[in-house]
Amino acid sequence: MSEDKYDTEVRLVLQECKDANPEEVAKEFERYENEFLIPPRDALRSVVRKFMEPGSDADKTVRAPAPSVKKASKFSELGSNDRNVTIEVLVVSYNSRAQQVRGEERQIGFGFIEDSPWDGDRQRWEFKDWGNKSQDLAAGSVVRLDGVSVNEWNDKKSININQTSRVSVLKEGGAPTLAPTNEPVTIEDASRGEGTVAIVARVLAVRPDQIVRRDGSGSIDVMRGRLGDQTGTMGFLSWKTLDISEGDLVKIENAQVKRFRDTPEINIGDFTKIEPYHDGAFPEAETLQANSSCTIKDLRDGMRDVEIILQVVDWNSRSFTSKTGEERVVRSGEVQDPSGRCRLTSWGEVDIEAGSFIRIKRARVQAWQGSPDLVIDQLDQVEILTEAPFGPIDASNHWVEEDLDDLTSGGSRRGISTTGRIVSLRSDSGIILRCTQEGCRRVLRDGVCGVHGEDVGEEDLRMMMVVDSGVSNASLLVSRAPTEALIGMNLDDVRKEISSNGKEAFHSSLKDRFLGHRVRVMGRSINDDRGCMIQADEVQIMEVDPEGIAKAAIDRWGVVL
Amino acid sequence: MGGGSLTMSGTMRVGRQTAIRVFAHEYRDASLPDQGSGEYDPGYMVTRLGAKINRALICGLIDSSEKRESDSGQSYRFNLRDVTGIHRVEVSPFNPELHPEAEEIHARFERGDRFLMMVVAKQRSFQTEDGGVFTSYNAQEMTVIDKPRYAEWLAETAEATLRRINAHELAMAAEQSMAGFRSAGVPEDLIDGMLLSRAHYPPFETEVYMLDVLQALNAALGRSVEIVKPESADESEPDSTVPDQPVEAPSPATSDMSVEEVVVATIAAGDRGEGVDYDAIVRQCSVHGHSREEAEDAIDSLRADGGQISEHRFGWFRLIQSDSS
């Protein structure tokens, strides 16, 4: 019987239980394997527990704490000589710059962190990251710092995160901080997060612009434009004058990627270096332009310089009096492409017929009621196309099929169709009362409107549900018409049903009919920081199809039954 | 400082938790509760395959039903059996809206009716002093379903399990960090759970969960739901000796005792005041050549009918006569 068989496991146990006898440990593993049919790997924890000194915590993992760790929950507990500190903090910001350290250029991270990340009362300190931990220090994330030290200078204390420090992410923040590097990254990679980047890209557009200060103290001259490579395009904003023109290939170092609303943008500042770059194989501007033209589903709030091909569904104009007393005309309408629908608003005198195809350039995207909409300012941004760029779309029944998981992680969308399972039916589904005041349709609570106070109320019918795919979920709001179609009853029928059987019975009848069922939902999705909400124009119960789902799974994962 | 709280509410708001599709076996194997330290942080149970479960969608045949009265009020406990094991579901005293439905289900069960149920539930777990973790669920929504919809759940849950098995394999080959897992193609929703799982659980073979998948898919396709013998299920699996799998292992010792006798004997021998935990009993039964299902049935029947054993704490059993403390 070879004791060596359990060598690895025995060593692991001995790490934990220093005084244990290796032979006894091996015997224990043998017993587990032969008598309890538990292979050594699975038995590890049980064996450790058995040989553990009484009183020591068996559930602590294999790491013995390094000597003289100072655990703190507040910055105020830290003195200027504290080393090897463990503390949980919220990362407020992370920036980085290149710095000469002992003759070597290194990327140093710096920013603000706050203590007591889990409750409101927090103190803010500066930190420096000497250990290239930007990946784990994204702004907005909560992290545990191990082995950091306190630095005091000019009576101000700050935290040094050293190369030997450990950063454990407890809660992920917003966009990840990009690993700072002088190696150029692709635009696709650069648009994933925020932080310092170097890129090689072709200038697709550049023009002078002005930013007007909010406080009315004047304006700043800037330059805006668009950069592109094989992987995509990104807008840029330069705070200094640039000597570049359309078509140039440039290498940009030490630029900052920042997010404006939902859109990443390259910021070019005083420290940014731009130089011409030579690469005969780099795609020409026209090629990149052609690739960069986007579709409705790609639109995100805050985008600029959008080039897109659309079909106009309808087009109207209306005039209004602006705040300054000026009479202004705004034109707008619904537009579509094969990926979905949205609205287009024009401040220029653009007259287009319904059904025609257009290409628009340099459009902006603004969110209106949660949906990203296109805005143009001038006539010359629109080009009417003589040939149809895509086949006819039936506007009355144009639903773009989307996976629920993609919908909940992307931008807000109109004209989508998706599927999922109903996992909850809220108890306020059914008849509700809405406020009757002009322009208000708020739901009354016990006869009271949140804004207008007591109100007689007008009856309405709606359903509030949750649709869930197993990976993501969305609230599902079904207004009166689609509810009536779905349940096969109109408001009167529901009222009668409730008055004869009661509200509870009606609600549980809805549950019986819909809870746990797969549904197809058509409508618009609105994403914000509370999650995703789908406003349904139509809801269909899907046929029960276990075989279909099973076969799809078998195909996708190559299962052999 | 003032700015901080804005940052918090802006980035740390948590939306509704998705209902994870998970088989009883994978959930029962889980022993890693993950409770954030914030006041309103959702609690999770992290499975070996990296599912981070706060809410789950589970289905199964009702296998036992109990109604309890305690100081905090009335509660119900249902066991739902799927093809891989048993889901333990509680309707707590703090969820009175569900009580009428629970009462109805309980009454149906008492009448001898057996039926399939679908439950949307929150994870709950209980940890013993020596570190054992027992998992169960708190029901949020329940409904009785028909066989086709159960089959649909089996297929959907098989798919979800396959996705996790695949992600686990990708993660095993990748650098153990968020960035490493991401670039290896581990789906975004599984990265966090996979990191926690890797740090906590000892290495394990995913085959045991693959067997769950195969059984579920067979059942969903209306094929025989006979339990696959390990030899035919996967030849490349020499170490299929993990007792937690639903496969009936070839009996190492032929049954010299009935399964009930083993249960009682195990508790009698192992009870040092706290009782004996569920898994230990099941393990001991398997040593004596009884399958997991048999052991579970025996424990349930000894507890319910004969009154020979009691579950004084969730997952812990004592003999009734020896219970004097």
Side-chain angles (χ1 to χ4, degrees):
Chain A
M1 183 83 238
S2 76
E3 313 268 339
D4 309 348
K5 191 175 164 199
Y6 303 113
D7 251 9
T8 328
E9 284 81 16
V10 170
R11 238 180 297 128
L12 284 168
V13 173
L14 289 177
Q15 270 181 18
E16 197 73 354
C17 322
K18 301 231 162 24
D19 301 328
N21 176 342
E23 272 175 42
E24 275 179 39
V25 176
K27 253 190 211 143
E28 193 66 18
F29 275 114
E30 194 184 328
R31 187 168 155 242
Y32 265 82
E33 183 153 35
N34 297 337
E35 284 186 50
F36 303 138
L37 306 176
I38 300 174
R41 277 180 311 232
D42 291 6
L44 193 59
R45 292 178 66 79
S46 314
V47 176
V48 167
R49 209 172 292 139
K50 190 181 155 94
F51 286 95
M52 209 72 184
E53 292 285 313
S56 58
D57 188 352
D59 228 29
K60 287 251 167 64
T61 34
V62 182
R63 214 171 306 100
S68 71
V69 175
K70 170 135 187 182
K71 280 201 175 160
S73 56
K74 296 232 158 241
F75 289 143
S76 54
E77 297 162 19
L78 296 174
S80 53
N81 288 322
D82 279 326
R83 299 284 172 273
N84 207 358
V85 172
T86 295
I87 188 165
E88 292 183 4
V89 299
L90 169 74
V91 182
V92 177
S93 60
Y94 189 98
N95 307 295
S96 74
R97 63 159 189 266
Q99 189 172 318
Q100 294 287 328
V101 180
R102 287 181 223 108
E104 218 185 306
E105 183 167 289
R106 294 232 324 252
Q107 287 291 338
I108 307 298
F110 61 96
F112 289 109
I113 46 178
E114 291 180 352
D115 62 5
S116 325
W118 310 107
D119 45 51
D121 189 20
R122 291 195 291 267
Q123 195 187 352
R124 180 177 289 198
W125 276 16
E126 282 179 30
F127 74 93
K128 264 193 182 155
D129 168 24
W130 302 91
N132 256 326
K133 317 253 185 226
S134 58
Q135 289 279 311
D136 293 328
L137 289 169
S141 48
V142 174
V143 297
R144 183 170 50 241
L145 304 175
D146 288 307
V148 298
S149 49
V150 179
N151 179 45
E152 184 163 6
W153 195 69
N154 277 353
D155 288 338
K156 202 171 143 196
K157 290 201 265 289
S158 64
I159 293 284
N160 273 341
I161 300 170
N162 309 310
Q163 273 177 318
T164 53
S165 305
R166 283 197 320 126
V167 179
S168 329
V169 179
L170 306 174
K171 192 149 236 172
E172 263 192 276
T177 307
L178 298 162
T181 161
N182 280 335
E183 278 303 299
V185 298
T186 61
I187 284 184
E188 188 181 12
D189 286 340
S191 44
R192 290 220 174 99
E194 296 196 288
T196 311
V197 291
I199 60 168
V200 168
R202 206 175 278 286
V203 180
L204 301 180
V206 56
R207 61 169 194 282
D209 200 357
Q210 276 191 332
I211 290 182
V212 181
R213 288 188 204 260
R214 278 252 167 103
D215 59 8
S217 65
S219 62
I220 312 165
D221 288 326
V222 295
M223 290 182 93
R224 284 186 194 280
R226 200 151 192 85
L227 299 164
D229 70 7
Q230 293 93 324
T231 66
T233 70
M234 201 190 306
F236 72 83
L237 168 64
S238 174
W239 302 92
K240 59 181 183 183
T241 315
L242 300 177
D243 184 23
I244 55 172
S245 47
E246 225 172 285
D248 288 356
L249 183 60
V250 290
K251 181 177 183 187
I252 302 176
E253 283 175 28
N254 243 333
Q256 300 278 332
V257 176
K258 292 203 167 134
R259 275 171 190 271
F260 171 71
R261 297 188 194 147
D262 295 334
T263 306
E265 189 175 60
I266 295 177
N267 274 255
I268 296 170
D270 287 342
F271 299 108
T272 312
K273 195 160 90 184
I274 301 193
E275 56 190 28
Y277 194 81
H278 301 284
D279 177 359
F282 206 92
E284 290 304 316
E286 280 150 35
T287 322
L288 295 172
Q289 269 317 351
N291 293 345
S292 76
S293 143
C294 77
T295 62
I296 288 175
K297 82 182 247 194
D298 304 322
L299 299 180
R300 298 285 183 279
D301 189 17
M303 282 169 83
R304 291 197 187 89
D305 279 311
V306 174
E307 176 168 340
I308 187 168
I309 293 173
L310 305 162
Q311 183 177 26
V312 180
V313 179
D314 57 44
W315 194 249
N316 306 297
S317 75
R318 66 186 176 91
S319 53
F320 67 98
T321 315
S322 75
K323 274 182 201 154
T324 52
E326 231 178 313
E327 187 82 356
R328 295 194 65 180
V329 178
V330 59
R331 292 162 167 79
S332 68
E334 184 124 328
V335 290
Q336 62 183 5
D337 74 3
S339 79
R341 276 188 258 163
C342 72
R343 290 196 73 77
L344 171 66
T345 299
S346 170
W347 296 99
E349 289 177 30
V350 175
D351 289 304
I352 19 184
E353 280 169 39
S356 56
F357 292 95
I358 55 172
R359 171 186 287 129
I360 61 171
K361 285 183 175 174
R362 302 193 314 279
R364 298 179 274 137
V365 179
Q366 268 182 347
W368 167 245
Q369 291 181 340
S371 291
D373 290 341
L374 287 160
V375 182
I376 51 175
D377 299 290
Q378 274 135 21
L379 187 58
D380 66 357
Q381 287 173 268
V382 183
E383 177 191 347
I384 301 200
L385 304 177
T386 47
E387 274 177 45
F390 39 75
I393 302 170
D394 174 6
S396 64
N397 196 19
H398 177 38
W399 304 107
V400 180
E401 181 67 35
E402 279 294 342
D403 202 62
L404 185 65
D405 310 335
D406 294 335
L407 270 190
T408 53
S409 57
S412 303
R413 301 272 303 277
R414 287 168 190 268
I416 50 89
S417 161
T418 192
T419 62
R421 207 173 277 283
I422 302 290
V423 295
S424 176
L425 197 128
R426 266 179 43 180
S427 55
D428 52 355
S429 295
I431 293 180
I432 48 160
L433 290 174
R434 291 191 185 277
C435 179
T436 55
Q437 297 299 310
E438 172 95 36
C440 180
R441 273 177 47 80
R442 286 179 182 79
V443 178
L444 302 184
R445 287 189 174 197
D446 302 323
V448 177
C449 167
V451 173
H452 301 102
E454 266 183 46
D455 192 275
V456 285
E458 189 189 357
E459 280 188 336
D460 195 6
L461 182 64
R462 64 136 189 223
M463 284 169 83
M464 302 275 272
M465 298 183 276
V466 176
V467 59
D468 185 307
S469 71
V471 174
S472 54
N473 68 84
S475 339
L476 177 59
L477 176 60
V478 192
S479 59
R480 179 168 168 182
T483 294
E484 288 179 336
L486 175 65
I487 66 178
M489 299 165 89
N490 62 28
L491 183 60
D492 280 339
D493 300 334
V494 174
R495 195 185 296 121
K496 275 180 210 142
E497 167 111 15
I498 289 178
S499 67
S500 56
N501 296 331
K503 213 174 160 178
E504 297 288 320
F506 174 68
H507 188 246
S508 74
S509 77
L510 289 183
K511 267 191 170 177
D512 287 344
R513 286 178 64 186
F514 301 112
L515 194 63
H517 278 276
R518 275 201 309 154
V519 290
R520 170 172 302 286
V521 181
M522 277 138 317
R524 55 181 290 210
S525 67
I526 299 162
N527 285 354
D528 58 24
D529 59 356
R530 279 161 302 189
C532 176
M533 179 171 81
I534 299 177
Q535 284 182 3
D537 291 344
E538 190 180 342
V539 179
Q540 299 163 354
I541 298 283
M542 292 171 78
E543 210 172 302
V544 181
D545 182 19
E547 288 188 21
I549 299 172
K551 284 184 177 142
I554 288 166
D555 287 350
R556 185 167 318 143
W557 302 104
V559 178
V560 183
L561 280 186
Chain B
M1 290 213 174
S5 55
L6 282 174
T7 323
M8 290 284 281
S9 57
T11 56
M12 300 190 36
R13 188 155 202 162
V14 185
R16 181 186 163 97
Q17 297 288 327
T18 295
I20 308 295
R21 278 43 159 185
V22 63
F23 288 124
H25 176 206
E26 183 183 343
Y27 185 64
R28 168 164 286 178
D29 279 357
S31 62
L32 176 57
D34 179 50
Q35 176 64 57
S37 37
E39 193 180 353
Y40 300 110
D41 284 3
Y44 298 94
M45 176 56 64
V46 182
T47 70
R48 297 208 285 179
L49 289 177
K52 244 184 113 176
I53 298 172
N54 168 270
R55 177 182 277 121
L57 180 72
I58 53 175
C59 286
L61 177 75
I62 187 156
D63 203 45
S64 81
S65 169
E66 256 180 72
K67 187 168 153 181
R68 293 181 170 187
E69 295 284 350
S70 74
D71 296 345
S72 37
Q74 191 154 301
S75 65
Y76 299 83
R77 268 189 48 186
F78 305 117
N79 279 1
L80 305 181
R81 178 185 293 272
D82 72 13
V83 294
T84 74
I86 285 187
H87 303 280
R88 296 166 171 269
V89 179
E90 174 165 320
V91 179
S92 81
F94 313 107
N95 198 356
E97 315 88 77
L98 271 188
H99 284 190
E101 276 171 87
E103 185 59 45
E104 166 87 27
I105 286 164
H106 181 67
R108 271 182 79 174
F109 182 86
E110 293 279 280
R111 286 199 303 268
D113 202 358
R114 295 292 179 271
F115 43 89
L116 292 160
M117 285 175 62
M118 176 179 276
V119 178
V120 177
K122 286 279 203 174
Q123 64 88 24
R124 65 198 285 260
S125 65
F126 152 75
Q127 195 155 4
T128 62
E129 278 136 35
D130 69 346
V133 173
F134 296 93
T135 56
S136 62
Y137 290 110
N138 250 331
Q140 286 192 306
E141 305 264 8
M142 310 187 285
T143 183
V144 173
I145 55 168
D146 54 9
K147 193 176 148 198
R149 262 199 293 158
Y150 173 59
E152 225 180 43
W153 176 82
L154 284 175
E156 213 169 272
T157 307
E159 152 94 46
T161 309
L162 282 165
R163 186 170 173 270
R164 288 193 287 272
I165 291 175
N166 180 61
H168 177 82
E169 274 153 18
L170 293 172
M172 286 306 283
E175 186 210 329
Q176 198 170 340
S177 71
M178 214 168 263
F181 283 9
R182 192 169 283 144
S183 62
V186 176
E188 206 62 29
D189 60 296
L190 293 175
I191 288 177
D192 205 25
M194 211 57 86
L195 280 169
L196 291 165
S197 156
R198 279 280 300 275
H200 172 80
Y201 296 109
F204 65 97
E205 301 290 335
T206 52
E207 273 84 359
V208 292
Y209 301 115
M210 199 61 201
L211 284 173
D212 297 348
V213 167
L214 297 178
Q215 279 180 272
L217 288 174
N218 272 320
L221 290 169
R223 300 190 192 164
S224 153
V225 199
E226 275 305 298
I227 286 168
V228 198
K229 287 275 179 255
E231 310 88 81
S232 60
D234 195 343
E235 259 129 37
S236 67
E237 196 196 1
D239 53 357
S240 64
T241 45
V242 182
D244 275 1
Q245 66 189 48
V247 178
E248 190 170 340
S251 319
T254 40
S255 311
D256 44 343
M257 294 162 88
S258 79
V259 63
E260 284 82 7
E261 283 167 342
V262 178
V263 173
V264 172
T266 308
I267 298 174
D271 189 355
R272 292 190 176 77
E274 287 202 312
V276 174
D277 76 86
Y278 192 86
D279 283 354
I281 302 172
V282 174
R283 202 183 297 138
Q284 199 59 27
C285 289
S286 81
V287 170
H288 286 268
H290 301 289
S291 72
R292 185 181 191 101
E293 327 300 318
E294 285 172 322
E296 285 173 345
D297 287 346
I299 292 169
D300 280 340
S301 73
L302 283 170
R303 192 186 50 185
D305 315 333
Q308 286 198 58
I309 62 173
S310 72
E311 191 175 1
H312 60 294
R313 210 161 60 173
F314 180 69
W316 288 80
F317 296 85
R318 278 179 186 159
L319 296 181
I320 296 276
Q321 51 267 51
S322 73
D323 186 3
S324 52
S325 56

